[in-house]
Amino acid sequence: MTLIKSINPYTGELLAEFNPLTEKEIEEKLSAGSVAFSTWKNTDFTHKADLMNKAAQVLKDRREKYATIISQEMGKVFKESLSEVDKCALVCEYYAENAAEFLKAEKIDLPDGAKAKVIHQPLGIVLAVMPWNFPFWQVFRFAAPTLMAGNVGVLKHASNVPQCSLAIEEVFTEAEFPPGTFQSLLIDSEATNKLIEDERIKAVTLTGSEKAGAAVASTAGKYIKKSLLELGGSDPFIVLKDANIKSAAETAVKARMINFGQSCIAAKRFIVEEDIYEDFMTLFVEHFRKLKQGDPMGENSDFACMARPDLAKELYTQINESVKAGATLLLGGEEPDEDSAIFQPTILTDIPTNAPAYYEELFGPVATIFKVKNEDDAIALANDSEFGLGGSIWSENKERAEELASKIETGAVFINAMVASNPHLPFGGVKKSGYGRELSRFGILEFVNSKTVYLG
Ligand code: NDP
């Protein structure tokens, strides 16, 4: 049996280890989930909202405790971990306030005078397969709408964040959700796929890599279960010649470096019109160089390390192969020490189309810069990607920027701002970035049976 280990990636220290659940324990959790669903599905919105608001309060009361677990377990700097916990409280409050309205019955008057309505009913146990990069946020943005819709949830979290997984379960327990409403399952990928086969699991959502998404969605497909995939991204950040360059450059660095670059919606490809390229680059590099590395718990640290040594190694390989293919290394790019998650921010320019940095996702602090002649070339380059999650356009001509936004093949475009998730806005991708939407009203409608009732 392989133990599930919690390791501080900055120090390499083993923090805790856990036995994965046995088959019997998994069975007990599924039974508890089924029992919970039989009453939770009929629980009124007011009571569900009370509990969800309590969960928000638990998060607020214990924000430092949970932020410490996040930083120690996956290396995020403490100030970012605090913001992550705060954002989880917000999404709980958002769905506590809005779920009833989002899910109220919709009346339809038919042309022949007949009437019908659509009611939205919960499905049952929904499985969430979640990643380590925002180990609280990714789970809460699933759990808040899913539980408010009357479903119950089971979580298979990434193997490197077991303490986060248990802490999230604790939030719902402390908020007095009925036992079995939200359960954390410490299991590996193999057990996860077996779980999807189980009749009691009605749907699955996954945030993570294409490979994991394809595996989970094919099992779900085989057993005719709904899946939602939120996968990688290689978001373009387009700076047009009429942009506010100062503001664009400052935000560009933030958009690339948030969570030390380990974010699906981080800006990854910076596409800059040639007229302003030099000016933009001067500021961009200046901001990039100012970032300070340090202990994740350090007050002055802007970044610490990658979440695992293997992720640092893989990122270095992508850089190295891109340089071999002809890309120019403008900053960073040093090989990480063996078994170390410490990595240096890197900038690549002159990237040929056959370089991994051109066509793969770089899930870490590596900016790729492209110089283009005009906005048509910028849009063509932005769309020359297998991914389609988000994108950002910078221009003082907002009308023009909006027109260009409609030409970008992604699930979201932000004008004069970095892409960010927000409970009020639908979130998700097209192409290999996945399918389905999280957050907003769209998110809560993913895991319900929208049932037509014809009133004859
Ligand atoms: P994975 O995609 O492998 O992990 C995400 C989740 O899926 C984890 O819970 C993982 O469990 C689970 N998982 C992985 N493989 C399977 C499978 N075959 N069946 C069922 N569940 C599975 O991410 P990694 O941690 O390996 O990171 C690799 C890359 O994934 C990153 O470099 C990045 O490109 C992408 N990624 C994207 C994220 C996003 O926000 N879209 C978030 C994290 C990663 P376990 O940990 O036990 O393997």
Side-chain angles (χ1 to χ4, degrees):
M1 183 193 299
T2 315
L3 291 172
I4 296 177
K5 293 185 178 172
S6 172
I7 296 172
N8 181 330
Y10 189 69
T11 60
E13 182 194 353
L14 176 67
L15 303 170
E17 48 191 4
F18 303 87
N19 284 317
L21 295 183
T22 61
E23 278 186 28
K24 185 166 167 280
E25 286 165 331
I26 296 173
E27 173 54 37
E28 283 163 8
K29 301 258 183 196
L30 284 178
S31 299
S34 289
V35 171
F37 180 63
S38 63
T39 47
W40 186 248
K41 67 180 177 188
N42 297 319
T43 302
D44 61 51
F45 278 109
T46 315
H47 185 55
K48 284 188 292 203
D50 283 348
L51 297 185
M52 198 52 83
N53 279 323
K54 260 195 193 172
Q57 195 55 50
V58 174
L59 287 161
K60 288 178 194 175
D61 293 345
R62 302 182 178 186
R63 69 193 284 270
E64 302 224 336
K65 171 186 163 179
Y66 294 143
T68 305
I69 296 175
I70 296 174
S71 288
Q72 290 185 341
E73 204 162 49
M74 58 68 68
K76 192 191 303 266
V77 290
F78 190 59
K79 58 189 172 197
E80 289 190 9
S81 298
L82 286 172
S83 309
E84 181 171 339
V85 177
D86 294 343
K87 197 167 169 182
C88 294
L90 268 184
V91 80
C92 290
E93 288 169 347
Y94 172 80
Y95 280 107
E97 191 182 337
N98 294 301
E101 179 63 25
F102 288 157
L103 296 178
K104 77 172 189 227
E106 295 165 49
K107 291 192 177 132
I108 298 173
D109 293 324
L110 293 147
D112 63 1
K115 291 190 183 305
K117 63 180 178 177
V118 179
I119 56 171
H120 303 290
Q121 295 181 306
L123 300 177
I125 308 180
V126 183
L127 167 67
V129 182
M130 289 289 145
W132 42 264
N133 60 341
F134 292 91
F136 264 58
W137 169 244
Q138 308 275 29
V139 178
F140 277 92
R141 83 172 173 203
F142 148 76
T146 308
L147 300 190
M148 282 306 297
N151 296 298
V152 302
V154 286
L155 166 67
K156 181 273 181 278
H157 218 323
S159 297
N160 55 326
V161 289
Q163 296 199 72
C164 287
S165 185
L166 296 172
I168 294 166
E169 186 180 77
E170 176 188 281
V171 173
F172 290 107
T173 307
E174 284 298 308
E176 296 179 61
F177 277 74
T181 313
F182 182 92
Q183 301 177 89
S184 159
L185 311 180
L186 297 185
I187 54 173
D188 63 15
S189 303
E190 205 183 312
T192 308
N193 282 289
K194 270 182 85 182
L195 203 61
I196 300 169
E197 297 173 15
D198 192 287
E199 196 271 321
R200 289 163 291 187
I201 298 287
K202 301 298 182 197
V204 56
T205 179
L206 178 138
T207 300
S209 62
E210 276 170 75
K211 197 168 158 227
V216 161
S218 18
T219 312
K222 187 169 167 204
Y223 292 88
I224 328 284
K225 293 183 185 181
K226 171 142 187 190
S227 61
L228 184 150
L229 297 182
E230 205 280 272
L231 309 177
S234 190
D235 287 7
F237 186 105
I238 301 171
V239 189
L240 299 178
K241 60 185 174 208
D242 64 354
N244 176 334
I245 301 174
K246 194 166 164 278
S247 164
E250 201 174 316
T251 310
V253 174
K254 216 165 131 195
R256 175 61 284 203
M257 292 298 288
I258 190 154
N259 209 30
F260 203 33
Q262 302 165 111
S263 166
C264 49
I265 48 164
K268 299 193 177 114
R269 297 178 294 140
F270 298 86
I271 301 172
V272 187
E273 266 195 275
E274 63 184 7
D275 297 26
I276 47 133
Y277 183 84
E278 296 305 330
D279 292 345
F280 173 83
M281 284 306 288
T282 305
L283 292 172
F284 183 79
V285 174
E286 194 180 299
H287 288 302
F288 223 72
R289 282 188 195 279
K290 271 192 209 150
L291 298 167
K292 287 187 289 296
Q293 184 172 31
D295 188 296
M297 298 304 291
E299 257 177 48
N300 298 321
S301 308
D302 293 314
F303 68 92
C305 60
M306 303 280 292
R308 295 192 314 249
D310 65 297
L311 296 163
K313 197 172 180 180
E314 190 185 320
L315 188 60
Y316 171 72
T317 306
Q318 289 173 300
I319 295 171
N320 195 27
E321 284 179 9
S322 300
V323 172
K324 276 194 208 151
T328 304
L329 199 54
L330 196 68
L331 198 76
E334 296 98 35
E335 185 168 10
D337 290 342
E338 193 61 27
D339 296 327
S340 169
I342 307 287
F343 202 89
Q344 293 309 317
T346 298
I347 301 179
L348 288 172
T349 59
D350 312 311
I351 300 147
T353 53
N354 63 339
Y358 186 92
Y359 58 85
E360 289 179 359
E361 177 181 32
L362 298 179
F363 210 68
V366 184
T368 57
I369 321 279
F370 301 86
K371 192 196 303 188
V372 288
K373 281 201 167 55
N374 52 44
E375 55 191 43
D376 287 343
D377 288 355
I379 300 298
L381 181 55
N383 289 337
D384 191 18
S385 167
E386 288 196 322
F387 298 101
L389 195 53
S392 174
I393 301 182
W394 290 75
S395 164
E396 290 299 280
N397 182 344
K398 299 210 170 108
E399 245 171 66
R400 183 78 189 118
E402 263 189 63
E403 204 183 307
L404 293 175
S406 69
K407 297 184 179 169
I408 298 187
E409 298 160 358
T410 56
V413 178
F414 281 53
I415 296 168
N416 296 331
M418 62 186 262
V419 181
S421 60
N422 177 327
H424 297 262
L425 302 175
F427 183 93
V430 293
K431 302 188 213 154
K432 288 202 174 160
S433 292
Y435 49 78
R437 291 292 176 270
E438 297 191 276
L439 299 175
S440 77
R441 180 168 185 266
F442 290 85
I444 201 168
L445 288 174
E446 289 284 355
F447 295 122
V448 291
N449 172 16
S450 297
K451 184 190 283 181
T452 297
V453 180
Y454 182 89
L455 308 163

